[in-house]
Structure formats: structure tokens, C-alpha cells
Amino acid sequence: MKKRFIVLVDFSKSSHHLVKYANEWALQEKAEILLLHEINPLLPMLTDLESKSSILQEENAAALVELSNMVDQFISPFLTAKTQVIENNLTQTLNELVLEPFENLIFIGLKESSLFEKYFIKNRSLQIIENTKNTVIAIPQEIKTYAHDQIFVAVSDKHPLNLVELHNFFKFIDIQNSVVTFFYLAKPNEETAAIERYLQDLKGLFSEQFNTHYAIYETNHPHKNIKKVINNTIDEILVVQKGSRLLTDQLFRKFLINELVHEGATPLVILP
């Protein structure tokens, strides 16, 4: 089945970086690229239907021109690139797109947020992650060069890894020169014998594809000590899964929101 990268763009500088990143990856995997933009015009409450339709048509046309310019500027002529503009209902559109006959990855950009936005406003990226039934690639705004020398896969004791989706994600990875480390963040004095056996099984399961390792890190300050696992360099990729401790446990919540989504410097893969 053909591979496709669905890239969400808003025409900011960080979107340019996101498209460059997706383009480099797509060239390696011969994937098609779909640039997707959502328009949400602010219309006066008393705008009549004819005027509203005219405004939407103008915004749609302008957005398509901008998308076409991005294709010309940032996407290789050796790749198939398509563009699409939608009005609202982004998650619904994404869930419809992933039903089409492609192996899909969805790309979103991560931006710095104010303190108020971090704690009081539902982050748009988190909404997409929570409501989309597909693997999502979240890229910090300054990263524009694709690399995957080190892949770190977070493992939970309560939610086994979705091995089907992990296998699907690895189809997009060039196995040469890639090191995969399965890791678990343990609470202080936590019994880890069972999780260590699970990590060993995962290491063995993928050892024919990659150079694999596993590790257990004990910490009660995951948002500070995560650097024991990743170094925030552009040649690393961090893989987590919806429903895992990294996404749900209150102890790890700050690690997700602040370090990964708002301040992260490592590409983040979220498995469904």
C-alpha cells in the first residue's frame, strides 16, 4: 500500500520547517504528501449567507495559492504532492482521510506557548492527538531536518504497546543505522521484574530489524530526569502511546504537556 504524509500547515515559519522535515522523510520512503490547511474565518454574527459564502470562497482560493507556493518551494519535484483546504472539522477530516487506501502518518507542528496557554487553554495539538485514530508525528518548531539515528519507545506497565501500530510506524523507518531503545520510567521503589521481562521481549521481537536495547529509569521527577533517556537532539525520535502512563498518569502529565508539547526539542511519535 502506498505511503502518505498528511501535513497540517498554517503558513507560519514553523509550518515551513514542518514541510521541509516531511519532504526529507518522504523522499526516503517515496511517500505522497498531502498539505492540509483549515480555514476558520471570523465572520460578524449578522453576516448573510451570500456574503459568508463569498468570504469563504476568497479565503479558500487564497489558501490554495499559498499551499501551491509551499509545494513549489519546499517539496521535491520527485514526490507526488497534493493540497486540500477545509473549513472547520479538522479531526473529522483527518479520521476520514486515514480510512483511504494509504499507510498514513499525520504531521503537526509544535509551537511555544505562553504560561496562560499552557495551563488554561486546550492545546490544538493535543486535541488532534486525542481525537485522531492514526499515528501522529509532532515536530518542534525549529526542527526542519529529518534524522532517526536513535528511536526511544516509552513502555507502560498497564497498557501493552500497540504492536500493530508500532510495526506500521517502523515501515516508515530506514532500518540501517537506527538504534531502538525500549524504556520504562519507574517510580521510586517500584517492583520492575515484570516490566523488565516485557522490555526484554520487545528487544528480542525487533532485534532482527534494528539494533535494539532496553532500559529502566527510576525517577519521581520525570519532567527533569527525562534527559537520562533522550538528549533533545535532532537525530532522536521519541515514541509514546495514547493511554500509556506518559500520557495519563498525573505524575507524568507535566512531562507530557510542558516538556514534549510546549517545550520539546525532540520529534514525538504518538501511537493510537
Side-chain angles (χ1 to χ4, degrees), residues 236-250:
E236 298 176 339
I237 293 176
L238 176 60
V239 181
V240 298
Q241 178 176 308
K242 287 196 294 187
S244 70
R245 172 183 292 179
L246 283 173
L247 298 177
T248 58
D249 193 302
Q250 289 301 311

Side-chain angles (χ1 to χ4, degrees), residues 208-226:
E208 292 187 4
Q209 292 177 264
F210 301 99
N211 180 4
T212 55
H213 303 276
Y214 77 89
I216 296 175
Y217 302 94
E218 182 177 295
T219 175
N220 56 4
H221 297 291
H223 59 289
K224 295 180 180 178
N225 296 338
I226 190 60

Side-chain angles (χ1 to χ4, degrees), residues 143-203:
I143 294 182
K144 55 186 175 182
T145 301
Y146 169 64
H148 60 277
D149 294 349
Q150 301 283 336
I151 301 173
F152 297 92
V153 182
V155 175
S156 168
D157 57 340
K158 308 231 186 283
H159 299 272
L161 271 177
N162 187 334
L163 293 179
V164 172
E165 292 297 338
L166 185 59
H167 273 290
N168 288 340
F169 169 67
F170 282 152
K171 292 178 183 177
F172 291 88
I173 296 294
D174 178 5
I175 64 175
Q176 294 185 350
N177 302 318
S178 295
V179 177
V180 177
T181 300
F182 297 93
F183 72 93
Y184 177 74
L185 293 180
K187 298 175 182 178
N189 303 315
E190 180 179 346
E191 174 55 51
T192 59
I195 196 69
E196 183 168 7
R197 289 194 294 270
Y198 183 43
L199 289 168
Q200 289 173 339
D201 289 343
L202 291 170
K203 176 181 180 296

